[in-house]
């Protein structure tokens, strides 16, 4: 972490260096910025960099997640409200735009705003005047720099009538595109080294480095969840790897298997139902409760499919059910519920067989 609580931007690829140069140029002006890119590419980090390299750096950076709140709450969150304007409004409350005065407001996931909210935001951008919820009078003017981000294609949303074109042009004065990791593969090894260092110093862990084969597999992987996924993979590696140097065998199945597929041709194995389910959970990041549980309850899939799926998870997690729950995108508070489900339906496999890499699959 550096000043303003912003983490440093890491990357040496041509694309990434061009982006950081653009950030420096953009930071000098006060123009509105729209940041786009896939999920997990670093849009928020880029927004923080625009702020911390600008003349507003000593003032506040105020993030607002436009997807996290229902419309009426988002309106009061952004513009503030006056006492008594709705049930629970016990006192006047300033909005984030007012709090961000002379600083930067970061409107994250702008593509999720309702059309009415988009109208209110547009009015603010045109006049600079705050209209608090429950007040007829203007709440005064503020001087904020607006940086917005989305992983949606706003032009497509405009075509669908879900995003206002006039707002799009207001926000899109400067457009920063954060490229996905797979388009700047040179950045992968240094990000891995950086993550490895930061996670391994947080506890008493063995792993210190990653061997060349494993690094090659990590660099070739598609990273659909980009930097956030990379950080998760390295954190899991740090927790599960028992050796000082991690090898291919220590990597998650989906990363290892692609690599093996390209380098050591093997006998084709038919994809099983468990493979498909596993992919939906681990790669497409669906939750066990929505992707697997209903299918099982409606008898679309069998107990043995679920057992195979759990086996794949355990193999990946080296027998650690907590990590299986993470892999299957369960909230930590659902861990007990998950184990209860497995127990009740006789899908809880003995974890010991999966410790130290001695999985049933490898043994057979
Ligand atoms: N270039 C980078 N250098 C270092 N860390 C990075 C970089 N890019 C992203 N990260 C890290 O990756 C994680 C995801 O970044 P961030 O939250 O900015 O992504 P995002 O694009 O806003 O994702 P989402 O669309 O899911 O909101 C964070 O932990 C961030 O610190
Ligand atoms: Mg984000």
């Amino acid at each position: 972490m550096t000043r303003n609580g912003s983490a440093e931007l890491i990357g040496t690829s041509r694309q990434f260096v061009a982006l950081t140069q653009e950030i420096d140029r953009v930071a000098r002006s006060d123009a509105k910025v729209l940041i786009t890119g896939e999920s997990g590419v670093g849009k928020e980090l880029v927004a923080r960099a625009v702020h911390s390299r600008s003349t507003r750096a000593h003032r506040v950076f105020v993030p607002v997640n436009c997807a996290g709140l229902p419309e009426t709450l988002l309106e009061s969150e952004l513009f503030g409200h006056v006492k008594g304007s709705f049930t629970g409004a016990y006192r006047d409350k300033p909005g984030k735009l007012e709090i961000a005065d002379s600083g930067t407001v970061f409107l994250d996931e702008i593509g999720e705003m309702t059309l009415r909210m988009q109208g209110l935001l547009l009015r603010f951008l045109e006049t600079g005047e705050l209209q608090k919820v429950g007040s007829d009078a203007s709440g005064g003017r503020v001087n904020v720099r607006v940086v917005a981000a989305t992983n949606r294609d706003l032009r497509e949303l405009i075509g669908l009538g879900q995003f206002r074109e006039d707002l799009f042009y207001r926000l899109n004065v400067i457009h920063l595109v954060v490229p996905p990791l797979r388009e700047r593969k040179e950045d992968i090894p240094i990000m891995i080294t950086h993550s490895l260092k930061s996670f391994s110093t947080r506890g008493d862990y063995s792993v210190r480095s990653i061997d060349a084969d494993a690094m090659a597999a990590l660099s070739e992987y598609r990273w659909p969840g980009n930097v956030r996924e990379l950080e998760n993979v390295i954190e899991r590696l740090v927790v599960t790897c028992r050796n000082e140097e991690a090898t291919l065998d220590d990597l998650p199945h989906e990363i290892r298997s692609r690599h093996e597929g390209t380098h050591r041709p093997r006998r084709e194995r038919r994809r099983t139902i468990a493979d498909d389910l596993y992919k939906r959970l681990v790669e497409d990041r669906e939750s066990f409760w929505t992707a697997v549980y209903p299918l099982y309850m409606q008898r679309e899939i069998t107990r043995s499919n679920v057992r195979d799926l759990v086996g794949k998870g355990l193999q990946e997690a080296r027998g650690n059910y907590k990590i299986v729950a993470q892999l299957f995108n369960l909230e930590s508070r659902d861990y007990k519920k998950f184990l209860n489900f497995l127990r009740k339906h006789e899908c809880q496999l003995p974890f010991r067989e999966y410790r130290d890499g001695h999985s049933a699959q490898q043994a057979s």
Side-chain angles (χ1 to χ4, degrees):
M1 294 287 243
T2 56
R3 130 190 103 94
N4 291 311
S6 66
E8 89 190 274
L9 281 169
I10 297 174
T12 53
S13 64
R14 185 180 48 77
Q15 297 91 319
F16 196 77
V17 170
L19 175 66
T20 53
Q21 286 168 346
E22 218 178 330
I23 292 172
D24 283 331
R25 270 198 305 276
V26 165
R28 276 182 237 134
S29 81
D30 237 357
K32 294 181 191 61
V33 182
L34 178 66
I35 305 169
T36 58
E38 289 180 13
S39 146
V41 277
K43 295 184 292 298
E44 176 151 359
L45 214 55
V46 167
R48 286 180 186 275
V50 168
H51 173 75
S52 66
R53 297 175 191 191
S54 78
T55 54
R56 295 172 182 261
H58 58 291
R59 310 308 292 256
V60 281
F61 174 89
V62 180
V64 180
N65 183 348
C66 303
L69 294 170
E71 181 183 84
T72 50
L73 285 183
L74 179 61
E75 182 181 354
S76 122
E77 177 90 352
L78 273 178
F79 301 101
H81 64 243
V82 295
K83 179 176 160 183
S85 51
F86 52 86
T87 322
Y90 295 117
R91 63 192 74 164
D92 289 3
K93 194 182 145 207
K96 290 284 171 73
L97 291 167
E98 193 175 339
I99 293 169
D101 196 10
S102 71
T104 304
V105 70
F106 174 50
L107 304 176
D108 201 3
E109 308 208 42
I110 190 92
E112 314 306 317
M113 259 191 188
T114 60
L115 285 166
R116 193 181 79 88
M117 271 309 296
Q118 292 173 31
L120 296 177
L121 178 62
L122 182 67
R123 188 178 65 192
F124 166 75
L125 296 177
E126 280 169 348
T127 64
E129 271 187 37
L130 289 173
Q131 187 79 54
K132 292 194 179 204
V133 176
S135 162
D136 294 330
S138 159
R141 301 173 73 84
V142 288
N143 167 8
V144 289
R145 180 177 201 179
V146 176
V147 177
T150 180
N151 55 15
R152 309 267 298 236
D153 180 344
L154 292 183
R155 285 179 199 279
E156 189 181 304
L157 293 182
I158 292 170
L160 293 167
Q162 291 169 11
F163 202 85
R164 291 180 66 134
E165 192 167 17
D166 44 7
L167 177 60
F168 173 72
Y169 287 115
R170 276 269 166 193
L171 294 170
N172 189 31
V173 179
I174 289 166
H175 185 186
L176 295 178
V177 180
V178 190
L181 262 186
R182 81 187 79 84
E183 285 176 16
R184 46 182 169 110
K185 287 192 191 304
E186 299 104 284
D187 292 339
I188 295 174
I190 44 170
M191 282 199 163
I192 288 174
T193 311
H194 179 83
S195 279
L196 190 65
K197 213 178 267 162
S198 82
F199 287 121
S200 61
T201 50
R202 289 181 205 175
D204 181 18
Y205 301 113
S206 331
V207 62
R208 290 284 167 273
S209 60
I210 293 179
D211 79 1
D213 258 7
M215 198 55 112
L218 288 161
S219 302
E220 274 162 31
Y221 177 61
R222 282 190 78 251
W223 297 109
N226 292 292
V227 187
R228 181 166 304 112
E229 183 185 11
L230 180 143
E231 289 178 335
N232 291 342
V233 164
I234 300 304
E235 183 173 13
R236 283 209 306 271
L237 180 77
V238 166
V239 174
T240 55
C241 179
R242 304 283 158 83
N243 307 313
E244 264 199 21
E245 187 172 64
T247 66
L248 260 187
D249 286 339
D250 297 309
L251 297 182
H253 177 262
E254 72 273 16
I255 296 178
R256 197 170 62 213
S257 64
R258 270 163 216 255
H259 185 69
E260 285 168 349
T262 52
H263 288 258
R264 307 176 206 160
R266 311 176 140 191
R267 196 158 39 91
E268 269 298 306
R269 187 171 70 88
R270 279 243 317 277
R271 272 187 82 81
T272 62
I273 291 177
D275 289 331
D276 283 340
L277 295 172
Y278 189 80
K279 177 180 170 295
R280 285 180 59 185
L281 298 180
V282 175
E283 285 182 40
D284 307 337
R285 307 180 153 222
E286 292 183 57
S287 143
F288 181 86
W289 296 132
T290 54
V292 179
Y293 177 78
L295 292 181
Y296 175 74
M297 297 314 279
Q298 292 151 21
R299 300 180 188 219
E300 294 282 339
I301 57 174
T302 64
R303 169 174 301 160
S304 125
N305 296 147
V306 178
R307 291 174 67 107
D308 290 347
L309 172 70
V310 172
K312 290 170 86 67
L314 279 171
Q315 186 175 355
E316 189 58 58
R318 310 270 146 124
N320 183 330
Y321 267 105
K322 276 235 163 77
I323 290 179
V324 175
Q326 275 177 28
L327 277 172
F328 291 0
N329 301 307
L330 298 174
E331 310 255 345
S332 49
R333 62 182 144 86
D334 276 354
Y335 177 60
K336 277 224 170 84
K337 190 170 138 198
F338 175 58
L339 285 190
N340 284 338
F341 166 85
L342 297 182
R343 214 170 288 138
K344 182 164 163 210
H345 297 277
E346 295 169 35
C347 294
Q348 194 180 28
L349 310 181
F351 62 85
R352 285 206 180 73
E353 290 171 22
Y354 295 87
R355 285 274 161 95
D356 306 319
H358 293 302
S359 72
Q361 207 170 312
Q362 277 169 338
S364 65

